[in-house]
Amino acid sequence: QSCHRPAGERASQEPGSGGLPEGVEYIPRRKKAKNPMKPVGVAWYSLYARTRLGYLFYQRQVKKARERYPHGHSVPQPYCFPGVKILPIPVLSNNYSYLVIDTGSGQAAVIDPSDPLAVQAAIEEEGVVLEAIFCTHKHWDHSGGNEALCQKHSSCRVYGSALDAIPRLTNPLADREKVSVGCLTFEALATPGHTVGHMVYVLDGAPFGSPPCLFSGDLLFLAGCGRPFEGSPETMLASLDIAMGLGEDTLLWPGHEYALECLSFASLLELDNSALEQKLQWAVQQRQEKRSTCPSTLGEEQTYNPFLRTHRPELQEALGLWQGAGEDPDAFRARVLKEVRRRKDLYQAT
């Protein structure tokens, strides 16, 4: 497979570079891919996340997705830097797993192996040795492949937070702990909110002359963020701030292909945001061609992702929110985040 060049060298991936094809009209209201968390009542979430019924539901998801998307829901494009290759693997109806390869040694790690057959196929095609699984959190659509892959690769280690019930966890990680796989160095960052033990993983790009790479799981999507199932708006805001502290050039590799839905929602909040309009047009063309929309960069995300713009007066005004006299700025931002989340949930439900 050929590789995309790094961000900054890839004109075709810049926001707004595609635009709408002639004669094509963008219609925000669209049929969305099924989301296992859509029936989002507390009882449903408890069943999905904490019982065998959730695992059986996940298995049904995998079976149906394999039938509907025999080659994956999107056309992914590998990214290569000197010494490292990142291969997105489209799984289920909208998830991404990622195979990250030290091309010098042939050692590899996978992030969130949803479908073990799809991940194993990528491992065999690339001819690499799976050394590590990094799980962002316990939900089956991110951890369901752990068991089968560990049986296939007996020396593979499974990393994640001990606070989440991650299947086959062998190496619990603490916040800011680093793990090496060949010449690859990953740093785990505790980012609770979506689950109590949610972690993201940052690949150090410096040895390869690349930007850092953030594998964000369900913390952060292109133009969106995950629901705080096991945390408060304040908890989620603090976790988003941790991610944003990584730097604007950081490449964002999210856990789901939610770009169109998230950008469409964001466009309802900020009608005069030119960066948002351009990115939406670009994403429409990408998805019409069934192409992946990842990665973006954290610098881009700050221009159109409403969950990262809680400090922006234009978004606050669009929501009809104003900071109270003596109100702590972060408390106000958490209130803004809560309102954005509420509106997003209503948008998804319609």
Side-chain angles (χ1 to χ4, degrees):
Q1 292 175 303
S2 60
C3 290
H4 273 191
R5 285 178 288 179
E9 297 180 25
R10 48 188 177 93
S12 66
Q13 289 280 325
E14 291 303 313
S17 64
L20 288 172
E22 186 176 351
V24 175
E25 179 184 1
Y26 172 65
I27 302 174
R29 302 301 301 164
R30 54 183 292 274
K31 186 177 180 180
K32 298 184 275 284
K34 290 184 179 180
N35 182 343
M37 298 301 180
K38 189 168 183 179
V40 73
V42 174
W44 165 252
Y45 177 73
S46 295
L47 287 172
Y48 178 79
R50 302 185 176 98
T51 72
R52 179 165 176 76
L53 185 62
Y55 180 68
L56 296 175
F57 179 81
Y58 150 78
Q59 288 185 311
R60 182 170 175 268
Q61 277 187 296
V62 172
K63 181 180 178 181
K64 291 178 68 174
R66 287 173 181 168
E67 294 170 353
R68 184 176 180 185
Y69 306 108
H71 304 293
H73 57 72
S74 302
V75 180
Q77 191 69 40
Y79 275 69
C80 294
F81 306 100
V84 63
K85 180 176 183 178
I86 299 173
L87 177 62
I89 306 172
V91 289
L92 302 184
S93 62
N94 53 41
N95 282 73
Y96 285 112
S97 302
Y98 295 97
L99 187 65
V100 187
I101 303 167
D102 170 10
T103 56
S105 69
Q107 295 176 292
V110 65
I111 291 91
D112 286 352
S114 306
D115 182 344
L117 290 186
V119 172
Q120 181 61 29
I123 291 169
E124 292 177 4
E125 183 176 346
E126 297 294 330
V128 296
V129 177
L130 184 64
E131 297 286 351
I133 293 170
F134 292 99
C135 259
T136 59
H137 62 295
K138 63 192 174 187
H139 292 158
W140 292 113
D141 62 319
H142 293 258
S143 66
N146 290 9
E147 181 72 35
L149 287 172
C150 285
Q151 290 179 5
K152 186 82 174 177
H153 305 272
S154 58
S155 63
C156 179
R157 303 175 302 281
V158 179
Y159 296 90
S161 171
L163 298 177
D164 265 18
I166 292 174
R168 289 294 293 262
L169 181 67
T170 61
N171 292 66
L173 293 175
D175 184 35
R176 307 284 174 173
E177 190 170 350
K178 295 183 179 181
V179 178
S180 293
V181 177
C183 293
L184 310 173
T185 300
F186 295 86
E187 183 177 14
L189 302 178
T191 51
H194 185 67
T195 67
V196 69
H198 193 285
M199 280 187 152
V200 299
Y201 299 97
V202 182
L203 173 66
D204 182 5
F208 312 105
S210 80
C213 292
L214 170 62
F215 299 95
S216 61
D218 281 1
L219 170 69
L220 191 59
F221 312 126
L222 193 157
C225 86
R227 296 186 182 185
F229 287 115
E230 299 179 7
S232 64
E234 290 79 9
T235 302
M236 187 62 98
L237 178 65
S239 292
L240 291 171
D241 284 348
I242 288 170
M244 293 314 299
L246 295 172
E248 293 187 356
D249 65 336
T250 301
L251 297 179
L252 174 64
W253 300 94
H256 289 270
E257 179 57 70
Y258 286 162
L260 274 188
E261 178 182 309
C262 290
L263 287 164
S264 299
F265 165 72
S267 69
L268 300 177
L269 298 182
E270 293 194 66
L271 302 179
D272 299 321
N273 185 326
S274 60
L276 172 56
E277 181 181 356
Q278 290 177 353
K279 190 68 176 184
L280 178 54
Q281 289 178 349
W282 172 84
V284 167
Q285 184 167 355
Q286 289 292 103
R287 297 309 297 155
Q288 284 176 339
E289 299 170 358
K290 298 299 182 184
R291 293 189 177 275
S292 169
T293 59
C294 58
S296 63
T297 69
L298 294 186
E300 278 187 40
E301 291 296 318
Q302 291 181 74
T303 68
Y304 52 67
N305 188 329
F307 296 94
L308 301 179
R309 292 171 60 79
T310 54
H311 62 294
R312 301 292 299 186
E314 55 267 44
L315 177 63
Q316 297 165 2
E317 183 177 347
L319 297 171
L321 297 176
W322 288 268
Q323 186 173 352
E327 185 177 14
D328 178 81
D330 283 345
F332 176 52
R333 289 178 58 219
R335 190 155 58 88
V336 174
L337 184 68
K338 182 179 180 179
E339 178 61 15
V340 175
R341 182 74 262 170
R342 185 187 72 82
R343 296 193 184 197
K344 179 63 165 61
D345 292 346
L346 288 173
Y347 176 81
Q348 284 181 288
T350 58

